[in-house]
Amino acid sequence: MSDHIYKQVELTGSSPNGIEEAVSNALAKAHQTVRNIQWFNVIETRGKVEEGKVAHWQVTIKVGFTLD
């Protein structure tokens, strides 16, 4: 097993459909420019309320990736 060095970035994904989709949206966008993504950790979950119902989700995550 080789030694791994990780870097973390904080991202916020959003979705009108739910928490999991908000996380997936953030990871999909990060994947376009960040190599070697290994894990994520949910830091904060927020939502927007309209007319007494959840209208939109925002999820902040920390994403870890290995350095080349």
Side-chain angles (χ1 to χ4, degrees):
M1 180 176 179
S2 62
D3 293 332
H4 293 277
I5 305 299
Y6 295 93
K7 181 167 179 70
Q8 296 180 47
V9 294
E10 190 171 284
L11 307 170
T12 300
S14 62
S15 170
N17 299 317
I19 295 167
E20 289 183 16
E21 186 172 289
V23 170
S24 293
N25 289 344
L27 290 171
K29 187 65 173 177
H31 179 71
Q32 293 176 5
T33 58
V34 178
R35 293 186 312 274
N36 305 320
I37 294 174
Q38 300 293 320
W39 53 266
F40 72 92
N41 183 32
V42 174
I43 303 301
E44 183 177 26
T45 304
R46 295 180 301 275
K48 181 177 180 184
V49 178
E50 292 180 357
E51 297 181 12
K53 295 182 181 179
V54 176
H56 206 85
W57 293 94
Q58 287 186 331
V59 180
T60 300
I61 60 176
K62 281 192 178 179
V63 176
F65 57 96
T66 55
L67 297 175
D68 291 335

